[in-house]
């Protein structure tokens, strides 16, 4: 009886594996889509965002998370103008701090190196930001935020792209403060490309 059960289980496992393998080959998951120039035309919108500088530090028992929702409108083909919100949390043993800001942005999609499924782009931002430290009076005054970044969009559907961005951000406190910060950052996210209603 045990041998019969073992044989049945083995046969069922082999048949299940074969079924899922054949199904995956017939209908593979979509990992890219042809977009040509249609997504980066005048009148379209992009809405999405990214996550950057996420991590947990075991030695200091701290956690940080930064998110960047954004929206932009294509004023001409390949040039989008909009805004980005900067939101950050740094939780540590004994408290937490929050970062916030808003930055107008401009993004340009390069025709060079473009394919039907991907785009390179450059982005610039300029805005203001601040921070709040929980249970403390050490809140920083509003700061000027300047940033430049280069990124890559890979279209996984006709109107949805996954993105990776490497950028440099400079932040300096206003005249009443005495601190500033700057540095490189890597961000991953996605964008939804909304076509113009007139198309």
């Amino acid at each position: 009886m045990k041998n019969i059960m073992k044989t049945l289980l083995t046969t069922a496992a082999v048949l299940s594996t074969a079924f899922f393998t054949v199904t995956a080959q017939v209908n593979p998951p979509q990992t890219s889509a042809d977009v040509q120039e249609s997504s980066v035309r005048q009148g379209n919108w992009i809405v999405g965002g990214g996550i950057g500088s996420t991590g947990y530090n075991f030695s200091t028992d701290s956690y940080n998370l930064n998110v960047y929702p954004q929206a932009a409108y294509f004023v001409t083909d390949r040039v989008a103008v909009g805004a980005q919100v900067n939101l950050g949390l740094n939780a540590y043993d004994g408290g937490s701090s929050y970062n916030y800001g808003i930055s107008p942005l401009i993004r340009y999609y390069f025709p060079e190196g473009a394919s039907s499924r991907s785009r390179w782009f450059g982005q610039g931002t300029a805005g203001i930001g601040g921070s709040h430290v929980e249970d403390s009076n050490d809140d920083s005054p509003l700061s000027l935020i300047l940033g430049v970044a280069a990124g890559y969009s890979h279209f996984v559907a006709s109107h949805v792209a996954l993105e990776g961005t490497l950028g440099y951000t400079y932040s300096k406190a206003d005249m009443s403060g005495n601190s500033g910060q700057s540095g490189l950052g890597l961000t991953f996210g996605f964008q939804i490309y909304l076509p113009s209603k007139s198309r």
Side-chain angles (χ1 to χ4, degrees):
M1 188 68 174
K2 288 182 180 179
N3 288 337
I4 294 173
M5 289 299 291
K6 186 183 282 187
T7 303
L8 287 174
L9 288 173
T10 303
T11 304
V14 169
L15 290 175
S16 296
T17 303
F19 173 77
F20 287 117
T21 301
V22 169
T23 303
Q25 290 176 355
V26 173
N27 298 311
Q30 184 172 348
T31 57
S32 62
D34 291 334
V35 293
Q36 302 295 334
E37 288 282 330
S38 62
S39 294
V40 294
R41 287 187 181 156
Q42 181 178 7
N44 290 359
W45 284 86
I46 52 175
V47 178
I51 297 176
S53 304
T54 304
Y56 182 82
N57 188 321
F58 289 96
S59 62
T60 61
D61 198 24
S62 64
Y63 174 78
N64 65 75
L65 171 67
N66 293 289
V67 295
Y68 309 99
Q70 57 186 216
Y73 176 77
F74 282 93
V75 292
T76 66
D77 289 355
R78 298 191 301 273
V79 178
V81 175
Q84 172 178 286
V85 177
N86 309 315
L87 301 171
L89 167 66
N90 183 21
Y92 48 88
D93 188 20
S96 60
S97 63
Y98 306 92
N99 301 317
Y100 50 85
I102 186 165
S103 304
L105 69 84
I106 184 167
R107 180 181 280 201
Y108 176 72
Y109 289 82
F110 297 100
E112 299 83 11
S115 75
S116 62
R117 299 177 179 178
S118 62
R119 291 276 168 185
W120 291 97
F121 64 86
Q123 180 173 295
T125 58
I128 57 172
S131 66
H132 170 72
V133 180
E134 187 178 34
D135 300 325
S136 172
N137 294 323
D138 293 335
D139 295 354
S140 77
L142 288 180
S143 304
L144 172 67
I145 301 173
L146 300 174
V148 292
Y152 177 79
S153 293
H154 178 76
F155 286 82
V156 294
S158 58
H159 298 294
V160 179
L162 298 179
E163 292 186 350
T165 305
L166 177 64
Y168 178 82
T169 301
Y170 171 81
S171 176
K172 182 171 174 58
D174 65 14
M175 296 304 290
S176 64
N178 58 8
S179 64
Q181 63 181 9
S182 59
L184 290 172
L186 186 62
T187 303
F188 295 99
F190 73 96
Q191 296 287 353
I192 299 172
Y193 292 74
L194 304 174
S196 170
K197 291 182 179 180
S198 61
R199 296 185 189 282

